[in-house]
Amino acid sequence: MIITEAQVERCEGGQAWVKIRPRSPCGNCDPKYGCKSVAITRLFGQGQESYPVQNQLGAKASDWVRVAVDDGVLLQSALWGYGLPLMLLLLSAALAVVIAPAAWSELASLLGAVLGFILAFGVLRWRNAKMHAFQPRVIEILSATSGSTMCAGRQ
């Protein structure tokens, strides 16, 4: 499991929106500025500040929690997110070239590639709506705050 600590910002239904606790720099990174990956991310904007997670333990706003994602989820997500669009793009472009007359092969491959990419986008949107197993979840409440608002959907 991949585990990190986060603070609950708000709750909506059975989900808690959490902000990840920043990590101190490791020995492999710049001691003053931290991780180079984070520095590169900051160049392109602030990015997302809070993330939705499953809240089956009933964490409340302002609670510190431990959030986990199962092993293999990142690899599976990367394969679906990058592999499927690339595969459908190439296959549909190649199929379009085979089907189209020789004079139209370049245009056919371009249109086939675009259609393959659009198809992959649709498949990923459909799959994303069905796959709740990939969503991170609260596995432990580290410090509960007494005066905070309880999240709806507590089980």
Side-chain angles (χ1 to χ4, degrees), residues 13-154:
Q15 290 188 331
W17 286 79
V18 299
K19 185 172 185 176
I20 304 299
R21 175 180 281 183
R23 294 278 182 195
S24 59
C26 66
N28 294 326
C29 294
D30 187 314
K32 183 176 180 183
Y33 298 108
C35 181
K36 296 296 183 195
S37 298
V38 173
I40 291 170
T41 303
R42 288 183 186 139
L43 287 175
F44 297 105
Q46 292 297 322
Q48 191 170 349
E49 291 288 325
S50 59
Y51 304 90
V53 297
Q54 294 176 5
N55 186 21
Q56 298 168 336
L57 298 181
K60 304 171 202 155
S62 300
D63 287 353
W64 282 97
V65 295
R66 193 164 278 140
V67 177
V69 174
D70 291 327
D71 286 330
V73 167
L74 291 178
L75 178 61
Q76 289 177 5
S77 297
L79 287 174
W80 277 95
Y82 292 106
L84 181 71
L86 181 62
M87 181 184 70
L88 286 177
L89 184 142
L90 294 174
L91 285 176
S92 59
L95 182 64
V97 169
V98 170
I99 293 173
W104 294 93
S105 64
E106 288 183 25
L107 181 61
S109 67
L110 178 63
L111 290 175
V114 169
L115 289 175
F117 189 74
I118 291 170
L119 176 64
F121 182 73
V123 169
L124 289 175
R125 284 189 52 96
W126 171 79
R127 187 176 183 278
N128 187 37
K130 304 284 184 196
M131 299 302 293
H132 298 289
F134 286 164
Q135 187 175 14
R137 65 188 179 281
V138 174
I139 60 168
E140 181 182 0
I141 300 173
L142 299 174
S143 65
T145 54
S146 59
S148 60
T149 309
M150 184 171 41
C151 292
R154 185 175 185 168

